Amino acid sequence: MPELISFNENWLFEGTQQVRLPHTAVEVPYHYFDEKCYQRAFTYEKTFTPPNGWQGTELSLLLEAAMADAKIYLNGDLIAEHKDGYTPIHARLTDGLTDGENHLRIVIDGSENPEIPPFGGRIDYLCFAGIYRDVWLVQNAPLAIETVKIETPDVLNATKTLTAQVYFSNPQKKVISGTLEATLKDSEGNPIAHTQAELTGERLLLQMDNLQNIELWDVDAPHLYTLDLALKSPHGDDHHTTRFGFRHAEFTTDGFFLNGRSLKIRGLNRHQSFPYSGYAIGRSGQERDADLLKYDLRLNLVRTSHYPQSTAFLNRCDEIGLLVFEEIPGWQHIGGEKWKAESVENVRRMITRDWNHPSIIIWGVRINESEDDHAFYTETNRVARALDPTRQTGGVRCIEDSELLEDVYTMNDFNLGSHEISGSNRAARPLRDQREVTGLDHDVPYLITEYNGHMFPTKAHDQELRQIEHVTRHLQVLNAAFGAKGTAGAIGWCAFDYNTHSDFGAGDRICYHGVADMYRELKFAGHVYASQGEPEGGLVLEPVTLYARGERNINGILPLTVLTNCDSVELRYGTATPIRGEPDRINYPHLPHPPVVFRLEDFPEDALGNWGTAWDDCEVVGIWNGEAAISRKYCAAPLLTSLSVVPDATEIADGQDVRVMVRALDQVGNKARHAADPVTIEVKGAARLHGPALVPLRAGSTGFWLRAEGTGPITISVSLGSLGTTETFLTAI
Ligand code: GAL
């Protein structure tokens, strides 16, 4: 492996401030801010001494991403430029280095330069400026392994084959010679195959045949392998490790197949932004998002709307078995010829960065929701197929009868909300038939890439009835997608609320389109997805109620939708006889786990009390395999009794970010969903708080991210008026 030296520390930002990367150029408020505040140029500088013995080696700088237009100067000379805010920037340092101190200056222009995709039109999200991913100093031999593309052509056969196209970097134009040894290792690091070859040029194709006992990468068992390459040449040695998986992914007219098995895609779109910090949450925070999508929301796919996301996020998707739809930057607008040329380069950069991730099953090679453009999209598809013939292409559109140049017709179908007039008027059909959309007289591979979103924005603190409608819409589309034979599945808009331009959102620079809020706290609709997970992976029981006599119009909590993967649900209200409810297979015949809905008519007249009578406690119990397996209690007279403070991890590596969730709870542990009190956050020890130290609860909760700085204990104290202070302890390692 080339030596990767962390280069995140000791940057001088704007000539005055010492910062550590990843870094957001402007820490924005939670909402109601002017997005122009970060749309300008910023400077990062660093003075460094090359590592001992650097002469004769190759040194370069690797920025995993910087938004958006980057210029890199070494000792005053411009050495690299990059007009893509989402892919890595490589800057060769070797020729401009001197012994002793060297000076790096990086200018990042966060303006929405109309020559750079996605800019030039209006876009419904913010592209926060800064060097917002990790930066590395890369030290290599003059002849080194630059990149590797691994293909596993016949994974459905009993014995497997692997090919590895190895590309060498040779900036000093040495005469190429040497030996490359390749070792295939299983996930425990045991060698299982080996080959070697002599170098003949700047590429080399290796092949391993007849591989036995290979375990496939799948969503439930994401087996990973590594290919270790050792290069020995007269110009130095190099090592390179590539992680990959053996798997076969295919969209067909009969749906999506993973390793020959039909799999209905159940996904959500993800923006990579965070409150206050914009894009600048580091690796551990990215990994946590993947875990959240897989384990909390129980999804099998994420779409990286609308750009390539961090390698840390994708690596984690590989590790946990979360499929990925990755796409190029863009939103509705297609620019001029230069812009299109840049967009084609976006395709190239995305694919060459990410082609070894088994989780990625499709490349999005159209500008999200743009018009047809025959020449442009012929070229993006050509480039994608030439670089990676193993994956199909898609291109997300919202128009009907669009020209299908891709392998999969990927469609944003907002039909359910299209009849929206007053907030209650839902269309009869959640999804259109594919031929109605494609205008074709035959079926094609077909995937729904968005639904809901702006058709029904819903805040975590919205009135219960709106949240129920939000839930119902997600249930209905999912049900329709599961029922649509031949449709590969559906990806909802979207996972998390996100900051956006003033042209969009709720007027406060937020699109409340998530099934979770910006802190990733699930709204009720989030549990629609969670409840589709199989019970063996964890039981889900989420009654869609704030449990109050008078929260709804008129009164009461009926009909009560309980999102669950249990066999049935029992409602125990006060001293009344418990009532058993079964999954609603009439309204949701296609869902793996329909909700249980308790309706007024299921109850004897006064079973749940009426306006003016006493309001009682209640328990909702999930029955699974004949037993009461999970339960939620509700009290008739909730009080704010405790403040729960839960970090996602108790150990954080130096420089990494961790989320901490704060929830105001009542006597039985339910979130006090109207609580909007201010909480103060104090962090002592080896960490720094992202964002302000005084924040309000929203819908009973808030969150924050911490960055470990150094090593040692971290004490977090969160206080809320009458509840006093809750202390939590973490360690920076
Ligand atoms: C789509 C778009 C998304 C988002 C969504 C809101 O049209 O692709 O980026 O704006 O609408 O529902």
Side-chain angles (χ1 to χ4, degrees), residues 124 306 331 368-369 412 414 450 452-454 493 498 513:
D124 169 23
H306 300 296
W331 204 87
N368 172 65
E369 293 190 336
N412 292 349
F414 290 104
E450 289 183 34
N452 286 346
H454 63 298
W493 191 265
Y498 54 97
H513 296 174

Side-chain angles (χ1 to χ4, degrees), residues 623-644:
I623 314 291
W624 189 58
N625 281 342
E627 289 184 7
I630 181 171
S631 125
R632 282 286 289 275
K633 290 196 166 129
Y634 293 90
C635 54
L639 298 169
L640 264 195
T641 55
S642 66
L643 196 59
S644 127

Side-chain angles (χ1 to χ4, degrees), residues 500-521:
T500 190
H501 284 87
S502 56
D503 314 284
F504 303 89
D508 62 348
R509 305 297 199 280
I510 297 179
C511 265
Y512 294 92
H513 296 174
V515 299
D517 68 13
M518 289 213 282
Y519 295 106
R520 283 68 176 143
E521 178 80 339

